Amino acid sequence: MNRIVTFGEVLMRLSPLGNKKMKQTNLLEYYFGGTEINVSISLANFGNKVKHISCVSDDFIGETAVGYLRQYNVDTRDIYRTNRPLGMYFLEVGAVMRPSTIAYNRSNSAFSGVTPDMVDWEKALAKGNWFHWTGITPGLSRGAYETLKEGLKVAKAKGFTISSDPTYRSGLWKYGVDPKDAIQDLMQYVTIFIGGVNEINEILGTTYGYDNDDFIAASKALIEKYPNVEKVFDKIRIAINASWQKIKARMWNGVTFKETEAIEITHIVDRIGTGDAFAAGIIYGLLNYDDFKAMEFASAACALKHTFPGDINYATVKDVEHLLSGNTGGRVVR
């Protein structure tokens, strides 16, 4: 069986109940999330063997976070402890025309203190064959960037498929490294690129537009610059408002361009983690289907994530296949 390895921060999310603002309440509910653990738990829910590598606080909060991952059968043997606090973020969930807002508290977090000597990558990657990373991780600290790079070197030497969602967050990258230089450095290890024109423009310094012709041109330029990249998958969000949106996807696999039909989501429960659900769907899909079916699976998995509170996509393969077969009415399954 395939074993997928993810590396990144475990965060605690704190939110007012429902769609309230913080000033409306003194009650908060919490979830655990973080871009890479969202991917790892989703893949575990699809039946994959998954290991997550991270660093958490050496206290009951960190232990609870690790227990949360174990609950979903994610291997936590290479999660390390430190005396720094677990990172967290606060979310006010928007509705209709009011957008959601986020405030992070992670600059001195347990994971931001990770250093290359903490992770034995040869041991951590034993028996694995797929490594997934995102642009969030190298943006957190120099140690996280250098540790990730060491892991990618080992993964490449072992012949792993390496997928990346090189998400750019302008609120990160506060430690003196230029984000463009860092992501360009890490791109040499990527085989599956999960991102669109925005991400390609950031990496290449280009100004491609958003239509399909520009997407194809941008993908070709990316592959020309980084011939290790085999395929590009892009999630497209069409927003009517904060509560009503459409999701579709497109791809360039070096030979063929294809795109999916849009899936309409008329009442969004929670859109945090939807991109991670898409990434997990791509990984699962490529391990089990052809490229187009993989993209369809990922788009449907992303759409389903919008129906779950919290950061995690709890959908199973059966749930995704049910949606793919045209069952969009939400009828009770008996």
Side-chain angles (χ1 to χ4, degrees), residues 77-324:
R77 284 175 291 181
D78 289 293
I79 293 183
Y80 304 90
R81 271 67 168 181
T82 178
N83 59 6
R84 292 189 181 202
L86 194 76
M88 66 175 63
Y89 74 97
F90 299 88
L91 169 70
E92 294 179 333
V93 179
V96 195
M97 75 288 294
R98 176 168 61 87
S100 297
T101 55
I102 293 176
Y104 289 102
N105 187 349
R106 65 198 301 183
S107 60
N108 190 45
S109 69
F111 185 80
S112 67
V114 72
T115 54
D117 60 292
M118 295 173 68
V119 182
D120 182 346
W121 283 109
E122 287 288 341
K123 168 178 164 288
L125 297 180
K127 300 181 181 179
N129 62 358
W130 193 299
F131 188 101
H132 179 72
W133 65 277
T134 79
I136 299 292
T137 294
L140 291 171
S141 68
R142 185 178 296 275
Y145 165 46
E146 293 174 348
T147 306
L148 171 61
K149 186 174 180 178
E150 288 302 310
L152 290 172
K153 288 179 181 177
V154 175
K156 182 177 181 180
K158 288 180 176 291
F160 275 52
T161 298
I162 300 174
S163 56
S164 175
D165 173 2
T167 310
Y168 176 72
R169 293 285 186 271
S170 59
L172 303 176
W173 302 97
K174 303 297 186 184
Y175 60 94
V177 170
D178 183 273
K180 182 179 176 181
D181 291 343
I183 297 297
Q184 286 180 339
D185 181 31
L186 299 176
M187 277 297 300
Q188 64 183 297
Y189 304 103
V190 176
T191 52
I192 305 298
F193 186 88
I194 305 172
V197 173
N198 278 339
E199 289 75 22
I200 294 173
N201 283 340
E202 288 285 349
I203 293 166
L204 300 183
T206 48
T207 56
Y208 290 104
Y210 298 99
D211 63 24
N212 287 340
D213 287 341
D214 269 22
F215 168 73
I216 294 169
S219 299
K220 288 179 176 178
L222 183 74
I223 293 171
E224 182 178 358
K225 174 76 173 178
Y226 301 100
N228 44 285
V229 175
E230 300 169 1
K231 301 170 185 180
V232 179
F233 294 92
D234 180 25
K235 172 181 65 67
I236 301 171
R237 180 180 300 278
I238 304 163
I240 292 109
N241 58 44
S243 304
W244 182 5
Q245 302 185 3
K246 298 178 183 180
I247 293 293
K248 66 177 183 176
R250 58 188 176 180
M251 72 173 196
W252 174 256
N253 65 1
V255 179
T256 303
F257 168 81
K258 286 189 177 181
E259 65 179 336
T260 67
E261 295 294 325
I263 301 173
E264 191 166 11
I265 308 148
T266 57
H267 176 69
I268 291 174
V269 174
D270 195 322
R271 62 164 284 189
I272 301 297
T274 53
D276 307 325
F278 180 79
I282 290 293
I283 295 168
Y284 177 85
L286 291 175
L287 289 170
N288 292 277
Y289 311 123
D290 63 34
D291 293 346
F292 182 65
K293 178 65 181 293
M295 182 172 61
E296 286 189 312
F297 185 92
S299 186
C302 173
L304 281 169
K305 166 59 195 75
H306 290 75
T307 69
F308 294 108
D311 291 34
I312 306 299
N313 184 18
Y314 298 98
T316 64
V317 171
K318 186 177 180 180
D319 295 329
V320 179
E321 290 178 341
H322 186 72
L323 176 56
L324 282 174

